[in-house]
Amino acid sequence: MKAASTLRAKLLRHVIVPLALTWLIGALLALAVARYFTQQAFDRALLDDAYAVASHVRHAEDGGITLGLSSVEMGNLLFDQNENLYFAVYQDDGRLLAGHAGLALPEGARSAVTPFFTETPFQKLLLRAVVLGRSKPAHFTVVVAQTTRVQDRLFERLLFISLVPQLLLVIWLAWWLRRAIQNDVQPLMDLERAVAQRDVRDLTPLAISSRTLDVQKLGESINALLHRIEQSVRGQKEFAGNVAHELRTPLAGIRALAEYGLTQSDPQVWREQLRSIAQSQERASHLIDQLLALALAQEAQQVLQPQALALDEVVRDSLMRHLHRADALGVDLGVDFAQGLNAPVILAQRALLEGALDNLIDNALRYGVPTDGGPRHVTVALSQPEAGAVCLSVIDNGPGITDAQREQLLQRWAQGSAGEALKQGSGLGLAIVSEYARILGAQLSMSRPASGPGLQVSLRLALQPSVG
């Protein structure tokens, strides 16, 4: 398996390789352009020499043409202290009129449009030549060629002057980029080292470098994750501690009842003990459900997503879950929807809303026992106290609570006088409702019902804005 490259190596490759290729292509293009214009300058001088030679072609006495320059005059005309120049003048029929006999007319020159520039061999040298055709005083062709030593040396110097400084500049730029990239990725490497060296039990926030915004955001995201993990671990520890602490008593009671029953031989005693065991098991199951509900509340903000809920449907489903129990207890369980409140819709987590409503109905069925022994009734009411809000209330006609008890009952493991008298519950119901209300963004309130004695617990929820 091929080893993965480091981020620094990838950045260097992705920056330096395109930079080097761009420099190389640019340098080659610049050299090609410089070579082209340099060649144009030399070719212009070579063409001027060809015109000078052609200007000295005259009519001869026999009716033909002749070159009106001596060899000395021609040497002065084509003098160059750095290059060797050669010439040849050809008549229209291809015969050499004057010049160097070995300097042949280049192939293709006869049919080409003049002036025509090309390379031609002469005396084991490759010369730069120009072919110039003239029609006066008669048709003839002039070939002038020269060596390219100066031109080659000039191009070599141009190549050196152009490439070497740019190459040094690219090397310096690559060195600077390497240092800059190293400095830029150093906070990321420090963050990686800090995470790698962190103990599994250490969930404290990491030190975040503010040198680069991306690394800062990454560090903040990691710290936010550590915070969520810490909350989850704390919740799990608290849940485990609560379970261990609270289940110890009912389990010990169940064991004691069973051991006592085993020591008796009377079937009636066995029946009473089994009935007590069943009641203790029911209380333990209820306690476990309450503890699981608290654990759900601590995870709901990260796990459960809000959704549009029809509040009347949630109320109907909750009533159906508790209707059988209410009938068994002789409680009149019903609903009361305010007039004009048509299918209110809220944005909330369904599990939390149902959990809050189930706990409120369960509390009302447990503790809403009238002190005068009269008939019991529990009502789930929906009203609209103001535009954009709906109030979900659970009302019973029990003994109610005092003003001093309202804040106390929102704490975990706190029970009211009815719960202590009935020896039921664990003191978690209203604490769960309070936690759910906080996550739902609802306002929890407890008051005396307008219809008489009892307790009214209300959740004020925001309606979902209507579309259109």
Side-chain angles (χ1 to χ4, degrees):
M1 182 177 178
K2 186 178 179 180
S5 301
T6 63
L7 177 61
R8 180 177 60 184
K10 284 188 175 181
L11 288 176
L12 284 172
R13 282 202 307 270
H14 293 166
V15 173
I16 294 178
V17 172
L19 178 65
L21 290 176
T22 303
W23 163 79
L24 181 60
I25 294 172
L28 293 177
L29 289 175
L31 286 174
V33 171
R35 179 67 179 262
Y36 172 77
F37 285 106
T38 303
Q39 187 71 67
Q40 290 289 311
F42 281 94
D43 286 349
R44 173 56 59 184
L46 193 62
L47 181 60
D48 290 342
D49 291 337
Y51 275 117
V53 172
S55 65
H56 289 86
V57 176
R58 303 282 189 268
H59 282 288
E61 294 179 357
D62 57 0
I65 56 174
T66 184
L67 182 62
L69 289 175
S70 64
S71 59
V72 176
E73 291 173 334
M74 184 57 68
N76 292 331
L77 179 65
L78 300 180
F79 174 76
D80 191 311
Q81 62 179 357
N82 297 313
E83 301 288 1
N84 296 328
L85 275 81
Y86 308 91
F87 80 99
V89 179
Y90 290 92
Q91 299 183 57
D92 189 38
D93 57 4
R95 290 181 299 164
L96 181 65
L97 177 65
H100 299 83
L103 185 61
L105 192 65
E107 295 182 4
R110 291 183 182 274
S111 60
V113 177
T114 58
F116 173 71
F117 294 92
T118 185
E119 277 73 31
T120 183
F122 179 71
Q123 297 179 356
K124 298 182 180 181
L125 297 174
L126 186 63
L127 307 180
R128 181 66 174 174
V130 61
V131 179
L132 178 65
R134 307 296 288 173
S135 59
K136 293 180 180 181
H139 287 285
F140 66 93
T141 302
V142 176
V143 179
V144 178
Q146 69 175 8
T147 56
T148 58
R149 292 188 297 270
V150 173
Q151 186 176 344
D152 292 340
R153 286 198 299 269
L154 178 61
F155 182 72
E156 290 173 358
R157 288 197 297 269
L158 181 63
L159 184 66
F160 178 81
I161 294 173
S162 299
L163 293 185
V164 173
Q166 293 186 45
L167 181 60
L168 294 176
L169 180 62
V170 168
I171 293 174
W172 175 84
L173 186 58
W175 174 81
W176 181 84
L177 284 173
R178 184 179 181 278
R179 288 180 59 87
I181 291 175
Q182 171 69 29
N183 291 334
D184 289 340
V185 301
Q186 188 62 43
L188 185 61
M189 297 170 63
D190 294 340
L191 183 62
E192 182 270 337
R193 189 179 302 109
V195 173
Q197 295 176 352
R198 179 63 65 93
D199 186 81
V200 68
R201 294 179 295 274
D202 187 2
L203 297 175
T204 57
L206 297 167
I208 302 175
S209 172
S210 59
R211 289 168 54 183
T212 56
L213 182 60
D214 292 333
V215 175
Q216 183 178 355
K217 289 183 177 179
L218 176 61
E220 291 173 353
S221 299
I222 293 177
N223 283 340
L225 175 62
L226 291 176
H227 178 67
R228 292 194 298 269
I229 294 175
E230 183 183 15
Q231 287 183 325
S232 177
V233 171
R234 187 186 303 117
Q236 292 174 4
K237 290 181 178 179
E238 184 176 351
F239 173 74
N242 290 337
V243 170
H245 178 268
E246 296 301 323
L247 288 183
R248 185 179 295 112
T249 299
L251 291 179
I254 292 173
R255 180 183 179 86
L257 290 171
E259 289 178 348
Y260 177 75
L262 290 174
T263 61
Q264 304 298 315
S265 58
D266 187 355
Q268 183 63 31
V269 176
W270 295 345
R271 183 179 299 275
E272 294 296 330
Q273 295 301 103
L274 289 174
R275 185 180 296 110
S276 298
I277 289 174
Q279 293 174 350
S280 297
Q281 186 275 335
E282 181 182 359
R283 287 195 296 270
S285 297
H286 178 70
L287 175 61
I288 292 175
D289 291 340
Q290 300 287 68
L291 291 172
L292 289 173
L294 281 177
L296 173 64
Q298 293 166 354
E299 298 292 333
Q301 286 178 300
Q302 290 80 29
V303 177
L304 301 180
Q305 297 298 322
Q307 55 181 315
L309 301 175
L311 201 53
D312 55 344
E313 295 182 2
V314 176
V315 171
R316 181 195 61 198
D317 294 343
S318 295
L319 286 177
M320 294 302 296
R321 287 194 294 272
H322 294 274
L323 192 58
H324 178 73
R325 181 184 171 200
D327 290 341
L329 294 174
V331 179
D332 179 16
L333 180 61
V335 296
D336 181 15
F337 287 2
Q339 293 184 353
L341 188 61
N342 185 21
V345 177
I346 64 172
L347 189 65
Q349 295 96 330
R350 186 181 185 96
L352 297 186
L353 185 61
E354 289 180 344
L357 187 55
D358 286 344
N359 273 282
L360 292 178
I361 295 175
D362 178 76
N363 277 358
L365 294 177
R366 285 178 181 274
Y367 310 123
V369 181
T371 55
D372 57 4
R376 298 176 59 187
H377 58 80
V378 175
T379 303
V380 180
L382 282 179
S383 60
Q384 190 168 10
E386 59 187 51
V390 63
C391 189
L392 173 62
S393 303
V394 177
I395 308 168
D396 64 61
N397 63 336
I401 58 175
T402 63
D403 293 340
Q405 289 178 319
R406 290 176 184 173
E407 291 296 328
Q408 176 188 356
L409 291 179
L410 296 180
Q411 307 297 322
R412 297 181 184 181
W413 318 115
Q415 284 188 292
S417 56
E420 294 174 352
L422 296 173
K423 303 297 182 182
Q424 295 183 10
S426 57
L428 291 175
L430 286 177
I432 294 172
V433 173
S434 176
E435 185 69 11
Y436 284 3
R438 181 188 66 82
I439 300 173
L440 291 168
Q443 182 178 350
L444 176 65
S445 61
M446 290 182 287
S447 61
R448 183 185 179 92
S451 58
L455 177 64
Q456 175 175 337
V457 184
S458 302
L459 290 173
R460 183 182 178 277
L461 302 157
L463 288 171
Q464 185 182 31
S466 58
V467 180

